[in-house]
Amino acid sequence: RWGVGKRMNHLEEVGESYLEHGYHASKLGLVLIGLGLLCLVHAVLPFCLSKVVSSRFAYIVSLARRDKK
């Protein structure tokens, strides 16, 4: 069910090598963690970071789609 072949098919589907995929997945994960921390600050201090948090969503979508920029 979770064999290596199935996992490698995913790499073929997204057109990336193992290292490329690792880079993109790690980058997206770190951006999401950072944005989560900013959201927590914004939750406590609603007057802070409102534009920063909302502006980062487009960037996250581009990372998830693997747009080349």
Side-chain angles (χ1 to χ4, degrees), residues 4 11 20 22 24 26-27 37 45 47 50 59 64 67:
V4 173
L11 296 177
E20 288 171 325
H24 288 293
S26 298
K27 184 175 179 181
L37 293 173
L45 305 169
F47 49 87
S50 58
Y59 179 65
D67 293 344

Side-chain angles (χ1 to χ4, degrees), residues 6-24:
K6 193 169 216 165
R7 284 180 269 175
M8 292 304 159
N9 284 342
H10 174 63
L11 296 177
E12 292 172 7
E13 290 169 359
V14 295
E16 294 175 342
S17 70
Y18 184 81
L19 291 176
E20 288 171 325
H21 188 270
Y23 169 79
H24 288 293

Side-chain angles (χ1 to χ4, degrees), residues 22-45:
Y23 169 79
H24 288 293
S26 298
K27 184 175 179 181
L28 179 58
L30 290 172
V31 168
L32 288 169
I33 289 169
L35 186 59
L37 293 173
L38 291 176
C39 285
L40 290 172
V41 171
H42 176 69
V44 175
L45 305 169

